[in-house]
């Protein structure tokens, strides 16, 4: 969503289930970006020097936990996901904040050299621009906020224009415990993100979003000679071997493809299944789709909400149209649900050629291609044909053989008989065009720190 930050306009946030306006937020201007950066710069020296950052963050985690139910309602209204999933996302944020607040920062290293002992210290980078997407607006913000703050940086969070409301409420909780300027939320469109990412006062940019936004932000960071962590799109393949039991694996495959309405960076976006199981797996997946309750996330029975926004719904439609032109058969779903909201049936397509757009592009929605293979070398070659390399999985009764096969998948994270697991202690990042750098774990923390080396003086 782009609109000029030169004019102080408001952005309306729609409930994707009803198309009612849930709230309005400012479309922050270049001047507001400047003001936020100045406030962060004022706060930075004492925050970097504080020895109590971990305890401040633990206090925020306690408040966040007390507010989970209230915030989950808001998250469902702006994002569309079922309330239970919104609660899980917020509880995930509490868990992430607690885990990272207690992390032991890397100790100074000392290295003996012929010139004497060199001391290697890690310092915060300074001001971090954190830019987030609309699919998991809370947990993905905490993947950035928690390590950036604990390592002594000040953060300006620019949420997606489709889902800024929960982030703004979360800023209020932080402001009860943290000094002013340490964490600020600056709502706005893509242009506000661009002004922020270009600003010379920003020392590090951490973006989660599309490949296009990653290229733009990476170029801006390069121009200013600043660092950037880019967590971008995925087109994860799941390879189902001939010894898997379709009835056993269908449920997990389905959940990992359609959770959050397919709008997950590490959703299963292509299934490659051995030809001997193709019919049975298609049937088992179709029966999962048939029993899925699609509706407003506020309704307790709902298992899948709407697509979050109109451009994404259009993208899903165009991929299904191309799939039909390319000879694909829709074995379930295929249509928008008649309702004011952005609801779409869970859709499974078979019989596609490898160059259909539904196979080569990231659908980020409730439509899944199921493709047949004859031998594992062929499956791996086709799975690896993608320009993206976020995650991938192999499904088999023989988990050791499956593990061996995962080593041949070209992606940042692989799983066996599961998909999508992440943890605050484990690094997460993509290869190829899925990104640069890491979130989480020690590697994720290091993204927010720079190294300073000192050689103590020699005796005169
Ligand atoms: P998007 O790129 O449109 O927007 C993401 C954020 O970047 C938004 O806040 C947006 O305003 C901002 N933005 C867009 N253009 C910008 C620019 N030129 N300069 C600065 N900021 C800019 O992405 P989206 O549609 O919100 O999210 C969907 C994408 O995010 C999918 O491709 C998905 O795979 C990816 N994603 C990746 C991960 C991961 O961890 N790798 C996680 C979640 C989502």
């Amino acid at each position: 969503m782009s609109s000029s930050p030169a004019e102080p306009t408001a952005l309306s946030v729609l409930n994707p289930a009803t198309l009612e306006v849930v709230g309005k937020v400012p479309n922050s201007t270049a001047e507001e970006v400047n003001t936020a950066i100045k406030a962060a710069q004022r706060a930075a020296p004492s925050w970097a020097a504080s020895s109590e950052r971990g305890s401040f963050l633990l206090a925020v985690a306690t408040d966040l936990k007390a507010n989970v139910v209230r915030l989950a309602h808001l998250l469902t209204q702006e994002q569309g996901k079922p309330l239970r999933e919104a609660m899980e996302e917020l509880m995930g944020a509490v868990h992430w904040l607690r885990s990272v607040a207690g992390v032991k920062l890397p100790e100074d290293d000392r290295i003996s050299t012929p010139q004497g002992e060199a001391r290697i210290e890690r310092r915060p980078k300074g001001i971090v621009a954190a830019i987030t997407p609309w699919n998991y607006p809370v947990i993905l913000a905490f993947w950035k906020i928690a390590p950036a703050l604990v390592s002594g940086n000040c953060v300006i969070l620019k949420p997606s224009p489709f889902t800024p409301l929960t982030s703004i409420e979360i800023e209020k909780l932080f402001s009860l415990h943290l000094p002013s300027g340490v964490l600020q939320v600056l709502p706005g469109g893509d242009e506000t993100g661009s002004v922020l990412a270009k600003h010379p006062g920003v020392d590090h940019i951490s973006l989660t979003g599309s490949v296009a936004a990653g290229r733009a932000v990476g170029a801006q960071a390069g121009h200013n000679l600043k660092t950037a962590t880019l967590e971008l799109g995925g087109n994860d393949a799941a390879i189902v071997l001939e010894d898997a039991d379709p009835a056993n694996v269908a449920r997990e495959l389905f959940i990992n493809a359609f959770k959050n309405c397919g709008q997950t960076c590490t959703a299963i976006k292509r299934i490659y299944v051995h030809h001997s199981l193709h019919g049975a797996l298609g049937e088992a997946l179709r029966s999962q789709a048939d029993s899925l309750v699609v509706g407003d996330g506020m309704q307790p029975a709902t298992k899948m909400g709407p697509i979050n926004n109109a451009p994404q719904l259009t993208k899903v439609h165009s991929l299904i149209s191309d799939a039909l032109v390319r000879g694909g058969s829709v074995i379930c779903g295929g249509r928008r649900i008649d309702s004011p909201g952005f609801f779409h049936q869970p859709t499974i397509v078979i019989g596609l050629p490898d160059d259909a757009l539904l196979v080569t592009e990231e659908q980020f929605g409730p439509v899944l291609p199921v493709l047949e293979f004859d031998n594992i070398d062929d499956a791996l070659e086709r799975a690896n044909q993608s320009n993206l390399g976020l995650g991938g999985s192999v499904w088999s009764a023989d988990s050791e053989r499956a593990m061996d096969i995962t080593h041949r998948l070209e992606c940042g994270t692989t799983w066996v008989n599961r998909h999508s697991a992440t943890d605050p202690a484990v690094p997460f990042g993509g290869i190829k065009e899925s990104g640069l750098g890491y979130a989480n774990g020690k590697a994720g923390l290091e993204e927010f720190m720079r190294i300073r080396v000192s050689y103590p003086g020699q005796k005169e």
Side-chain angles (χ1 to χ4, degrees), residues 1 131-135 140 143 158-161 188-190 193-194 197 207-211 213 216-217 220 231-234 264-265 269 312 362 364 390 428 434:
M1 188 192 280
I131 304 179
T132 46
W134 46 260
N135 61 331
L140 294 173
W143 282 23
K158 208 295 287 172
S160 166
D190 300 352
S194 172
L207 167 97
T208 301
S210 59
V211 173
V217 166
Q220 286 154 358
E231 299 287 342
L232 310 178
T264 303
C265 56
K269 296 186 177 127
Q312 197 57 39
E362 181 187 33
F364 218 59
L390 199 55
F428 174 81
S434 285

Side-chain angles (χ1 to χ4, degrees), residues 307-373:
I307 291 175
N308 173 260
N309 56 69
Q312 197 57 39
L313 180 66
T314 305
K315 163 114 193 179
V316 165
H317 275 159
S318 71
L319 294 182
I320 294 175
S321 303
D322 177 75
L324 293 174
V325 170
R326 303 304 311 273
S329 305
V330 171
I331 60 166
C332 64
R335 289 180 196 287
R336 183 174 177 175
I337 294 171
D338 188 22
S339 139
F342 300 135
F343 294 102
H344 197 282
Q345 296 171 326
T347 299
I348 296 172
V349 186
I350 60 170
L352 283 173
D354 286 344
D355 60 353
L357 297 180
L358 184 56
V359 181
T360 59
E361 292 193 7
E362 181 187 33
Q363 63 274 52
F364 218 59
V367 49
L368 176 69
V370 178
L371 307 139
E372 285 181 65
F373 70 84

Side-chain angles (χ1 to χ4, degrees), residues 440-457:
N440 306 331
K442 188 166 169 284
L445 195 62
E446 298 263 9
E447 300 273 317
F448 297 103
M449 303 179 91
R450 62 189 170 80
I451 283 175
R452 183 189 146 106
V453 178
S454 45
Y455 287 89

